[in-house]
Amino acid sequence: MALFGLIDANSFYCSCERAFRPDLVGRPVVVLSNNDGCAIARTAEAKSLGIRMGDAYHLIRNKPELRDVVWFSSNYALYADMSRRIFEVISGHVPSVEPYSIDEMFMDLSGLSDVAGRMHVLRYDVLRATKVPTCVGFGPTKTIAKLANAMAKANPGMAGVCDLSQSRYRDALYRDTPVSEVWGLGRRTCEKLGTLGVTTVSQFVRMPSARVRKTLTVVGERIHAELQGVSCLDLEEVSAPRKGATVSRSFGAAIVTFDELRQALMTFTSRLSEKLRAENSVAANLHVFMSTGFPAPGRAPHGSARQVRIQPTSNVFDLQRHAAAMALEMWRDGIEYRKAGVMATEILPQDQVPQDLFSLTQDGKSRGDRISETMDAINARFGKGTVRTLSMALGRDTWKPRAEMLSRRYTTCLEELPEV
DNA sequence: TCTGGGGTCCTAGGACCC
DNA sequence: TCTGGGGTCCTAGGACCC
């Protein structure tokens, strides 16, 4: 029988910060979203002070009861590298791992003996190697493993590991668990189920499949089967190629001149082209959007978006040229722009691109492609942003998101190594 | 002054094809 | 007079996830 495990880091971003700041153990820590906008990760101590996911920093920062909270801007370079380290440790313990998000990994545990014992050892090794505490849940399907993981987090008595492999363990749990705890059943779906009188997992599981399908389509039917122990979702060791890629940001301050907006968009486009090249893919469709952001009194919301089909490319110069042209068409004087972004869709592997007869070179790469690759190589060697296109370098940095409480990139940047 | 960023999948309806 | 059966692709919108 198949057995799936899910390992998930506790307050992952906060735990990464604590890993290099042991003085913060036992203290309330919060990590903020980009632009220091809102709370996206909280330690148990911060949660118990009443800080909720998504609380706006500017509204809570001065509350007297939160004076001891240690706030951090988000440091994705650090979190991504810590995630990679956790993956390495797990890979040494189980036959196959599927990274599901930056702080969660599914594992194939089929056929292993003493699974619970092994999971305790795994948790210990992850903690020893990275200082990041985790919880593990396991069961016959991914959906059950996910639920088991939530149980392990909620019940300290389980010592971080929850076993839902046997249906007799599940029956009691299902009676006391609201449907909203189930992976894939969000707010809307739970409202719909509520009108049918279904509020607990056990009520949901007892619904006839046909009725589930009628009300929640095949998506709900799959979750329904998974909760009954019928596996519908496989472990995906090789990640499917991505279908789209986006780089967007809210600005640190409103932008009122086209030059500033263009500089921001050219930086986003450069980052987008790096993402494409890192996966040896190209995009045939480029989108640009800009908006005033959240509506406010006395400020009319405004947003615009454009897209263009292009000769498939990942070359930074071509992408920037198209993005700049669309931005110029959309720009309106007198509007305070607070957010913008670029998106690539219709992504395909570079070696599947039909060649343009008139610009063909020997290896199918243009001059711009070669320069882009050379820039990647230099930036990999000497640090991000060492070489940039001129369009990104000009002008001021008014658009840059706020990040006033940024920790060091302890593990990925020589100048920022921890000092002992 | 003040609220993140990045994804995936499914459905319904229209256009079009043979 | 009245009119089959089967398909694909695209888009917008909804829902969900971390």
Side-chain angles (χ1 to χ4, degrees):
Chain A
M1 194 190 70
L3 193 64
F4 294 91
L6 179 73
I7 180 164
D8 175 323
N10 305 345
S11 311
F12 180 56
Y13 296 171
C14 296
S15 298
C16 292
E17 300 293 349
R18 267 183 182 163
F20 295 92
R21 286 281 309 274
D23 58 301
L24 299 181
V25 173
R27 297 182 60 189
V29 176
V30 174
V31 173
L32 301 170
S33 65
N34 261 322
N35 215 22
D36 295 341
C38 59
I40 56 170
R42 307 147 298 147
T43 60
E45 298 82 1
K47 288 175 194 171
S48 72
L49 289 172
I51 301 174
R52 288 161 306 179
M53 192 75 168
D55 277 352
Y57 175 56
H58 71 97
L59 294 179
I60 60 173
R61 60 185 295 181
N62 291 322
K63 288 189 175 182
E65 67 270 29
L66 303 184
R67 64 188 172 278
D68 294 331
V69 173
V70 183
W71 311 90
F72 285 98
S73 302
S74 35
N75 181 347
Y76 289 100
L78 175 64
Y79 312 149
D81 188 59
M82 294 294 276
S83 178
R84 183 190 61 76
R85 287 164 189 243
I86 292 172
F87 177 84
E88 296 296 326
V89 176
I90 298 169
S91 299
H93 279 257
V94 299
S96 48
V97 193
E98 172 197 334
Y100 172 65
S101 75
I102 196 164
D103 75 325
E104 286 175 65
M105 321 216 175
F106 281 107
M107 304 173 284
D108 181 6
L109 306 176
S110 309
L112 297 182
S113 60
D114 183 24
V115 175
R118 286 170 187 268
M119 293 300 104
H120 283 292
V121 174
L122 171 61
R123 285 188 69 231
Y124 175 78
D125 280 359
V126 170
L127 185 66
R128 195 179 53 168
T130 66
K131 310 296 175 212
V132 174
T134 54
C135 283
V136 178
F138 60 93
T141 68
K142 281 182 157 181
T143 305
I144 292 173
K146 197 90 165 109
L147 203 53
N149 182 277
M151 292 304 117
K153 278 200 168 171
N155 299 289
M158 293 179 173
V161 177
C162 175
D163 174 0
L164 286 184
S165 59
Q166 307 298 315
S167 62
R168 63 177 185 278
Y169 299 159
R170 299 194 290 270
D171 291 339
L173 175 81
Y174 284 1
R175 272 196 297 279
D176 301 329
T177 307
V179 269
S180 56
E181 297 272 311
V182 176
W183 184 40
L185 300 181
R187 188 171 54 89
R188 293 297 177 143
T189 305
C190 291
E191 281 170 12
K192 214 182 267 183
L193 288 170
T195 65
L196 301 175
V198 172
T199 58
T200 68
V201 179
S202 82
Q203 287 171 325
F204 178 61
V205 166
R206 287 199 307 266
M207 282 174 74
S209 299
R211 188 159 157 79
V212 173
R213 179 164 192 148
K214 208 173 165 189
T215 33
L216 305 182
T217 80
V218 296
V219 184
E221 192 184 29
R222 196 155 52 208
I223 296 168
H224 188 248
E226 282 248 319
L227 284 170
Q228 290 171 335
V230 178
S231 178
C232 305
L233 303 168
D234 293 331
L235 198 80
E236 286 163 33
E237 279 184 85
V238 280
S239 52
R242 71 159 96 229
K243 298 182 173 173
T246 307
V247 178
S248 75
R249 290 289 180 280
S250 295
F251 302 134
I255 279 184
V256 293
T257 70
F258 180 69
D259 277 353
E260 290 171 285
L261 182 85
R262 187 183 52 190
Q263 189 195 352
L265 280 172
M266 294 303 96
T267 306
F268 301 162
T269 307
S270 169
R271 179 73 200 105
L272 185 70
S273 76
E274 287 170 0
K275 276 190 187 181
L276 292 170
R277 290 194 297 277
E279 299 184 359
N280 291 315
S281 36
V282 291
N285 212 316
L286 183 68
H287 310 238
V288 172
F289 52 91
M290 46 174 100
S291 75
T292 51
F294 281 80
R299 186 167 89 202
H302 173 78
S304 42
R306 281 241 195 324
Q307 59 170 296
V308 64
R309 293 193 56 83
I310 55 177
Q311 176 69 27
T313 187
S314 63
N315 140 4
V316 64
F317 304 100
D318 288 350
L319 292 169
Q320 285 186 335
R321 182 166 47 81
H322 289 295
M326 284 189 278
L328 186 57
E329 284 174 28
M330 281 187 276
W331 174 262
R332 278 178 39 187
D333 282 323
I335 301 231
E336 297 187 343
Y337 290 97
R338 285 181 181 75
K339 182 174 180 171
V342 291
M343 175 164 64
T345 56
E346 290 179 54
I347 291 177
L348 58 160
Q350 188 171 27
D351 53 20
Q352 279 181 23
V353 184
Q355 290 301 320
D356 175 349
L357 182 63
F358 301 104
S359 63
L360 202 61
T361 55
Q362 273 193 342
D363 60 358
K365 286 183 178 169
S366 70
R367 194 157 166 266
D369 291 336
R370 276 184 228 287
I371 299 175
S372 297
E373 285 173 14
T374 305
M375 288 170 63
D376 289 341
I378 294 172
N379 289 335
R381 173 78 174 76
F382 296 100
K384 274 189 179 181
T386 303
V387 282
R388 289 176 281 177
T389 66
L390 191 59
S391 58
M392 296 156 63
L394 289 174
R396 294 169 297 153
D397 286 344
T398 41
W399 61 272
K400 285 207 171 156
R402 279 184 297 274
E404 290 165 1
M405 295 149 292
L406 197 57
S407 52
R408 297 182 182 201
R409 291 167 291 179
Y410 300 102
T411 63
T412 57
C413 180
L414 275 180
E415 286 76 42
E416 300 182 22
L417 286 177
E419 291 153 28
V420 178

